[in-house]
């Protein structure tokens, strides 16, 4: 059990994962456009190759996927 102080009050958080805390921070920011959580399936070997490539670029998995999608969109949206 961990205690966390937020704006002068304490909240008790039980077994909250690091990814859960990050997700709350991402989705709690009202100033930015809201994020949409998506899922997809790929082969484990292909994911490992992508993770290695993203790592070489200094990106994590999610940032690498976002980067790849933006590049794909830029490349193919100009061809219309």
């Amino acid at each position: 059990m961990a205690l966390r102080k937020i704006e002068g009050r304490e909240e008790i958080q039980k077994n909250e994962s690091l990814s859960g805390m990050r997700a709350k921070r991402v989705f709690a920011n009202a100033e930015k456009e809201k994020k949409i959580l998506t899922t997809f399936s790929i082969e484990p070997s292909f994911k490992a190759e992508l993770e290695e490539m993203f790592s070489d670029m200094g990106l994590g998995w999610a940032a690498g996927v976002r980067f790849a999608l933006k590049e794909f969109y830029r490349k193919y949206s100009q061809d219309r």
Side-chain angles (χ1 to χ4, degrees):
M1 184 182 324
L3 295 176
R4 184 173 84 178
K5 193 170 188 172
I6 298 178
E7 299 175 3
R9 63 176 207 232
E10 293 181 0
E11 290 186 4
I12 299 175
Q13 297 179 339
K14 297 180 182 177
N15 300 329
E16 187 169 3
S17 68
L18 181 59
S19 61
M21 290 187 293
R22 287 180 180 164
K24 282 184 182 180
R25 271 189 271 142
V26 168
F27 291 107
N29 192 349
E31 296 172 8
K32 293 183 180 179
E33 183 178 5
K34 290 188 178 188
K35 306 276 189 214
I36 298 171
L37 180 63
T38 61
T39 59
F40 58 94
S41 300
I42 60 172
E43 296 86 5
S45 59
F46 183 54
K47 183 177 186 235
E49 291 175 22
L50 290 174
E51 285 178 319
E52 184 178 338
M53 181 178 64
F54 295 155
S55 177
D56 292 343
M57 298 169 66
L59 301 172
W61 170 251
V65 170
R66 285 190 297 268
F67 173 78
L69 289 170
K70 287 177 185 177
E71 287 299 309
F72 179 86
Y73 179 78
R74 283 186 196 131
K75 181 177 179 181
Y76 291 103
S77 66
Q78 296 171 355
D79 292 343
R80 289 187 204 183

